[in-house]
């Protein structure tokens, strides 16, 4: 981490953009935000919303995340798929009020990999679904959320 | 070794006459304060603190128990510790009748870490019990500053003397161990009589998850 | 993972290791969170704040003397707290920053300290400055001042305050931080009177605090501990937090500074 | 932090370009009460796009369950020093931002 963050700070050409509220609509049309899937309140409904009917468990879909989180507001999760032809990865937290956290579509030279921080309201399975060759694959990992600190 | 809540009742009561030691000062620099030190430190606090919300400046003033523990680095001579414990015990307001309240309410009080800070509303306090103790086996996020209280009533039963001991310990832990690290929840006005009864129930009621 | 990153991650995991031999259940969580924290955003804002001209003198803080000479940032944080002859007192980073705001920028103390603790929406000027300045000591051993009479006095007052029990709950700092191997809820409590626990702790402040998604400083930590101790509020930059920060930093001296880092 | 600054680093190593991007954003869920006791309206990034030399490589839709001040890492096969990486986001209140970095 140390080297990474130092190199990030010093990286040549790293620039900070100025926020342009509302003005910077992308030139190309964005894929619309999938309101139905993100508004779904169960994992099954969310999966239906992103067109997943059936997903086969796969060991080639790897979730690297802590088994126990000291704070549910930030839970780091790294996902990598070794399934040939993976085109997208979706992340769900089963017990969240709205389980779907995100869907990442890869093209060009992008590897089917993403690392992000998610909110997990209570101890829950994290469910990851990969799409490859028109089929869906699934992996899950249980993450325990606990209480730390003085609670005041 | 620190005298603990876990000791069998008889031993706990008998041990009032032995010298308490908290095991503090592992770095070897907990040396205690002379009366002059205490005055000087209190003056530093007064000069550099201000009241906020319910945390008034009067909280800086020390009472006899705090003075004794500060003087002897939490390890006062046995005779003085005993006198302090007796004085603290005398000041406990034991209610008449059953001391067993509602363990479910007690569990909520034990869970809450709020109360008495400058950001809390006055009169809405919990006991912060899980911050320091293991209590119900269902709660895995417990602290270890104090001893585990799992199975507390299962081992000891809930005879009136035990109820009285638990109520008293919650009301004023310094009555049983002069320099206990545990706050005096009744004595300090943090918890009400009913709340202390509810916590007593959490520890002693056979139906409480603590005793399953 | 790249070998260098792996080594750094291992070092971090070790840094978070509890006082006892037992491995923290949170070791993975803390390592991964540290790798993926938005700390640079605060350092970046801090650099802007450092160079921002303001106050009656329309000056930046770039000529602030943090103990290594005017404008010297490299290693400055690792040398604090220390005695400053110009102010004739021991100062920690935040206290010194306020001093520079008043002297270099001509701002009143009131103006410089009107919003010292920020929040998730808006960090304070002191917080982002702390992130930036502390980052410039990354990788350097912490050598707070210990030779001047006033440095010795600050350490001793810090020690006394650390153990002084008071307030409705009879707490001192040592109630939670006096013995190694203890936990509050699931959080490990460093025994700050031991070098072993003080070192990894002091090497990682100031920090991005995960539970509030905000950047927090040592003055904030002292303030919030007194709140949790059910005491009145210590004044920002006063002898109380400065003495306690001195006590803990001296207990940790020699440790290589690795911050800004993360906290729960 | 309020929505605003971004920071990115792109490093080519062993035939893979590592992209790490930080973005200041509240990622409000719309379920939290503010200090005034009123619900804080939802405010979160919904769309995220990563481009290398102008070509889209990652297109993401995300929810309010991504943590505040999001940090993402992506990996792209190939890539050489000097390549241009661009990340842009667009949120539910119509705010947007973008940042660029040169692969180092």
């Amino acid at each position: 981490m140390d080297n990474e963050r130092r190199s990030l700070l010093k990286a040549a050409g790293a620039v900070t953009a100025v926020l342009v509220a509302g003005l910077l609509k992308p030139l190309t049309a964005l894929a619309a935000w999938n309101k139905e899937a993100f508004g779904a309140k169960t994992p099954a409904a969310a999966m239906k919303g992103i067109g997943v009917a059936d997903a086969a468990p796969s060991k080639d879909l790897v979730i690297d995340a802590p088994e126990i989180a000291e704070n549910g507001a930030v839970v780091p999760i790294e996902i990598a798929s070794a399934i040939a032809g993976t085109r997208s990865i979706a992340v769900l937290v089963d017990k969240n009020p709205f389980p779907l956290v995100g869907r990442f579509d890869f093209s060009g030279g992008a590897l089917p990999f993403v690392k992000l921080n998610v909110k997990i309201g209570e101890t829950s399975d994290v469910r990851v679904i990969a799409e490859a060759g028109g089929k869906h694959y699934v992996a899950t990992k249980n993450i325990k959320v606990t209480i730390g600190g003085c609670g005041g | 070794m620190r005298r603990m809540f876990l000791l069998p009742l008889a031993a706990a009561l008998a041990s009032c006459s032995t010298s308490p030691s908290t095991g503090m000062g592992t770095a070897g620099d907990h040396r205690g304060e002379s009366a002059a030190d205490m005055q000087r430190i209190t003056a530093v606090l007064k000069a550099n603190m201000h009241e906020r919300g319910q945390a008034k400046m009067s909280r800086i003033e020390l009472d006899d128990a705090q003075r004794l523990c500060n003087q002897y680095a939490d390890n006062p001579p046995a005779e003085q510790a005993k006198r302090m414990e007796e004085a603290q015990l005398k000041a406990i307001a034991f209610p008449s009748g059953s001391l067993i309240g509602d363990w479910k309410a007690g569990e909520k009080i034990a869970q809450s870490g709020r109360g008495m800070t400058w950001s809390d509303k006055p009169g809405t306090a919990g006991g912060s019990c899980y911050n320091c103790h293991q209590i119900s086996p269902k709660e895995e996020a417990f602290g270890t500053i104090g001893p585990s209280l799992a199975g507390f009533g299962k081992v000891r039963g809930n005879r009136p003397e035990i109820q009285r001991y638990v109520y008293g310990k919650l009301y004023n832990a310094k009555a049983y161990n002069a320099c206990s690290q545990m706050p005096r929840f009744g004595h300090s006005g943090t918890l009400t009589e009913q709340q202390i009864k509810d916590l007593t129930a959490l520890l002693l009621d056979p139906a409480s998850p603590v005793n399953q | 993972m790249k070998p260098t990153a792996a080594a750094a991650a291992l070092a971090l995991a070790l840094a978070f290791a509890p006082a006892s031999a037992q491995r923290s259940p949170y070791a993975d969580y803390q390592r991964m969170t540290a790798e993926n924290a938005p700390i640079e955003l605060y350092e970046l804002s801090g650099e802007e704040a450092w160079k921002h001209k303001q106050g009656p003198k329309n000056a930046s803080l770039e000529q602030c003397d943090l103990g290594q000479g005017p404008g010297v940032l490299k290693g400055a944080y690792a040398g604090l707290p220390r005695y400053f002859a110009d102010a004739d007192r021991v100062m920690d980073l935040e206290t010194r920053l306020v001093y520079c705001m008043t002297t270099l920028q001509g701002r009143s103390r009131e103006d410089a300290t009107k919003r010292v603790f920020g929040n998730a929406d808006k960090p304070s000027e002191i917080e982002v400055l702390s992130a930036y300045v502390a980052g410039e000591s990354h990788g350097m051993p912490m050598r707070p001042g210990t030779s001047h009479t006033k440095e010795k006095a600050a350490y001793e007052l810090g020690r006394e305050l650390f153990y002084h029990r008071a307030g409705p709950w009879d707490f001192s700092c040592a109630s939670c931080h006096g013995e190694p191997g203890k936990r509050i809820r699931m959080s490990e409590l460093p025994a700050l009177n031991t070098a072993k626990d003080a070192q990894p702790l002091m090497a990682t402040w100031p920090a991005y605090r995960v539970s509030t998604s905000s950047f927090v400083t040592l003055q904030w930590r002292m303030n919030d501990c007194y709140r949790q101790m059910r005491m009145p509020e210590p004044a920002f930059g006063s002898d109380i937090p400065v003495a306690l920060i001195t006590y803990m930093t001296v207990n940790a001296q020699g440790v290589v500074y690795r911050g800004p880092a993360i906290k729960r | 932090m309020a929505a605003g600054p971004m920071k990115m680093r792109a490093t080519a190593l062993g035939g893979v370009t590592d992209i790490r991007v930080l973005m200041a954003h509240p990622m409000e869920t719309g379920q939290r009460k503010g200090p005034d006791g009123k619900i804080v309206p939802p405010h979160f990034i919904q769309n995220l796009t990563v481009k290398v030399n102008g070509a889209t490589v990652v297109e993401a839709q995300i929810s309010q369950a991504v943590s505040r001040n999001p940090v993402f890492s992506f990996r792209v096969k190939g890539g050489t020093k000097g390549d241009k990486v661009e990340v842009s986001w667009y949120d539910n209140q119509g705010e947007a931002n973008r940042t660029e970095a040169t692969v180092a």
Side-chain angles (χ1 to χ4, degrees):
Chain A
M1 168 262 184
D2 289 7
N3 291 332
E4 268 184 55
R5 58 180 290 276
R6 305 326 287 181
S7 64
L8 192 152
L9 277 172
K10 308 293 178 212
V15 292
T16 311
V18 177
L19 177 71
V20 191
L23 296 175
L24 216 115
K25 299 212 180 200
L27 296 172
T28 51
L30 276 173
W33 192 68
N34 190 335
K35 207 170 175 178
E36 188 201 339
F38 282 111
K41 292 184 175 171
T42 63
M47 276 164 41
K48 196 178 157 208
I50 52 170
V52 180
D54 192 32
S58 171
K59 283 188 175 131
D60 292 327
L61 189 54
V62 179
I63 306 170
D64 187 10
E67 286 179 7
I68 179 164
E70 202 167 3
N71 195 287
V74 180
V75 181
I77 293 177
E78 184 178 305
I79 302 153
S81 171
I83 302 163
T86 300
R87 301 310 296 164
S88 80
I89 286 174
V91 186
L92 293 86
V93 177
D94 280 13
K95 291 227 182 128
N96 274 5
F98 302 101
L100 184 60
V101 176
R103 184 187 144 135
F104 300 84
D105 293 336
F106 305 101
S107 52
L111 297 172
F113 169 92
V114 63
K115 185 160 146 186
L116 74 164
N117 295 325
V118 303
K119 297 171 192 162
I120 303 185
E122 57 180 303
T123 298
S124 172
D125 273 352
V126 168
R127 186 193 303 241
V128 171
I129 294 165
E131 191 235 305
K135 288 185 184 161
H136 292 106
Y137 302 88
V138 64
T140 59
K141 184 179 172 95
N142 188 264
I143 298 179
K144 190 184 270 192
V145 175
T146 62
I147 303 167
C150 328
Chain B
M1 134 135 207
R2 200 188 299 209
R3 272 180 292 153
M4 289 180 172
F5 220 164
L6 254 195
L7 291 174
L9 177 65
L13 293 177
S15 66
C16 291
S17 58
T18 63
S19 168
S21 157
T22 64
M24 297 294 268
T26 41
D29 66 349
H30 191 190
R31 292 194 280 274
E33 304 169 17
S34 69
D37 290 339
M38 238 177 284
Q39 269 185 7
R40 183 174 42 78
I41 296 164
T42 300
V44 169
L45 293 175
K46 273 186 189 162
N48 296 288
M49 285 185 152
H50 46 262
E51 74 165 50
R52 184 166 168 186
Q54 63 176 312
K56 306 293 180 203
M57 288 299 281
S58 57
R59 292 187 177 187
I60 290 169
E61 304 295 343
L62 303 172
D63 76 358
D64 290 345
Q66 291 170 335
R67 264 188 226 104
L68 181 75
C69 299
N70 281 334
Q71 181 182 353
Y72 291 104
D74 288 334
N75 198 4
E79 197 46 46
Q80 292 192 53
K82 188 181 167 201
R83 275 208 302 277
M84 182 56 63
E85 287 158 4
E86 284 167 0
Q88 297 284 314
L89 189 63
K90 252 183 228 161
I92 298 177
F94 283 101
S96 54
S98 170
L99 298 173
I100 303 279
D102 172 5
W103 67 261
K104 285 181 188 147
E107 169 68 14
K108 285 192 190 121
I109 297 161
Q111 286 282 356
S112 169
R114 297 203 169 270
M116 301 292 275
T117 75
W118 70 60
S119 55
D120 293 312
K121 276 185 214 145
T124 52
S128 290
C129 311
Y130 281 103
N131 283 6
C132 299
H133 296 280
Q134 180 174 30
I135 311 172
S136 165
K138 286 178 190 157
E139 179 53 83
E140 292 179 54
F142 57 85
T144 60
I145 297 169
S148 169
L149 305 175
F152 190 89
K154 204 175 179 181
V155 183
R156 296 166 185 79
N158 62 353
R159 305 190 309 278
E161 315 86 83
I162 294 168
Q163 291 179 28
R164 196 175 161 83
Y165 167 69
V166 172
Y167 186 97
K169 179 88 184 181
L170 286 159
Y171 190 96
N172 187 343
K174 273 75 178 171
Y176 305 87
N177 172 359
C179 293
S180 166
Q181 292 300 322
M182 182 165 142
R184 296 171 277 180
F185 289 103
H187 183 84
S188 61
T190 303
L191 298 179
T192 63
E193 179 184 310
Q194 187 57 48
Q195 285 180 301
I196 298 174
K197 283 180 176 173
D198 293 340
L199 286 174
T200 305
L202 179 65
L203 291 184
L204 295 180
D205 191 325
S208 161
V210 171
N211 301 319
Q212 300 312 305
Chain C
M1 199 187 279
K2 295 184 295 263
T4 47
L10 178 66
L12 251 166
L14 291 174
F16 280 111
S20 63
Q22 180 193 353
R23 185 176 179 271
S24 164
Y26 294 128
D28 287 340
Y29 176 78
Q30 289 167 337
R31 173 181 54 77
M32 291 186 74
T33 311
E35 284 170 7
N36 221 33
I39 295 164
E40 297 98 315
L41 291 175
Y42 295 89
E43 297 185 15
L44 193 69
S45 297
E47 185 174 358
E48 283 164 16
W50 180 254
K51 294 174 179 168
H52 175 62
K53 288 185 179 144
Q54 59 176 323
K57 295 185 183 174
N58 192 33
S60 75
L61 293 171
E62 287 165 290
Q63 286 307 305
C64 180
D65 182 355
L66 295 168
Q68 309 299 316
V72 179
L73 280 171
K74 211 83 208 146
Y77 180 70
L80 295 171
R82 72 190 299 276
Y83 172 76
F84 287 88
D86 53 12
D88 190 30
R89 67 175 291 222
V90 173
M91 293 171 151
D92 68 320
L93 171 61
E94 294 162 77
T95 312
R96 188 63 184 173
L97 286 171
V98 169
Y99 179 84
C100 286
M101 288 172 188
T102 55
T103 54
L104 294 178
Q105 298 180 322
R107 296 158 69 183
S108 67
R109 200 191 131 75
E110 194 185 11
D111 174 67
T113 59
K114 67 173 181 268
R115 186 174 181 273
V116 286
F117 305 135
N119 54 33
D121 290 328
K122 193 170 177 248
S124 76
E125 184 185 5
I126 294 274
E127 285 161 350
V128 296
L129 285 169
S130 298
Y132 173 57
V133 174
E136 294 291 313
S137 282
H138 192 90
M140 304 175 92
M142 297 183 83
R143 300 276 178 222
T146 54
S147 53
H148 192 276
T149 316
K150 291 207 171 176
E151 290 167 347
K152 288 177 183 163
Y155 177 86
E156 177 57 16
L157 177 61
R159 184 195 68 76
E160 290 176 322
L161 290 169
F162 185 81
Y163 290 110
H164 181 80
R165 296 179 71 174
W169 284 17
D170 310 323
F171 281 165
S172 71
C173 307
S175 300
C176 288
H177 296 285
E179 278 186 84
K182 298 286 185 188
R183 266 186 3 216
I184 191 155
R185 284 283 183 160
M186 287 296 274
S187 300
E188 282 133 24
L189 292 163
L192 296 167
N193 49 4
T194 67
K196 192 180 175 196
D197 280 13
Q199 286 191 332
L201 205 282
M202 298 310 287
T204 49
W205 280 92
Y208 183 75
R209 192 166 187 248
V210 170
S211 54
T212 50
S213 304
S214 54
F215 195 84
V216 288
T217 65
L218 275 169
Q219 288 273 340
W220 172 83
R221 182 64 274 174
M222 299 304 105
N223 180 280
D224 205 58
C225 275
Y226 271 110
R227 184 181 68 85
Q228 296 283 7
M229 284 155 67
R230 275 71 189 173
M231 290 286 279
E233 185 173 34
F236 180 87
S238 72
D239 287 350
I240 297 170
V242 170
L244 283 166
I245 292 167
T246 302
Y247 173 69
M248 295 185 296
T249 313
V250 171
N251 286 346
Q253 65 183 317
V255 69
V256 172
Y257 181 65
R258 281 193 314 276
I262 61 134
K263 301 289 170 191
R264 176 186 70 81
Chain D
M1 284 192 185
M6 293 174 76
K7 188 88 186 165
M8 177 160 55
R9 184 265 295 131
T11 324
L13 192 78
V16 173
T17 299
D18 229 15
I19 298 164
R20 181 167 182 257
V21 61
L22 286 66
M23 41 199 92
H25 201 285
M27 299 302 286
E28 277 297 346
T29 60
Q31 301 186 318
R32 191 178 66 90
K33 278 184 190 162
D36 56 359
K38 288 182 190 155
I39 295 280
V40 181
H43 185 199
F44 59 97
I45 295 172
Q46 292 187 322
N47 295 91
L48 187 71
T49 306
V50 184
K51 291 180 180 177
V52 177
N53 293 332
T56 299
V57 291
V58 181
E59 187 88 67
Q61 296 177 41
I62 62 171
S63 82
Q64 64 278 16
V66 169
S67 304
R68 185 185 263 265
N69 300 325
V71 181
F72 288 98
S73 290
F74 300 106
R75 287 176 184 167
V76 180
K77 214 184 304 176
T80 47
K81 285 181 186 176
D83 282 358
K84 290 263 182 282
V85 180
E86 180 195 318
V87 173
S88 57
W89 58 253
Y90 192 72
D91 76 19
N92 69 320
Q93 295 188 1
E95 286 182 278
N97 201 2
R98 58 184 288 281
T99 188
E100 282 181 7
T102 307
V103 175

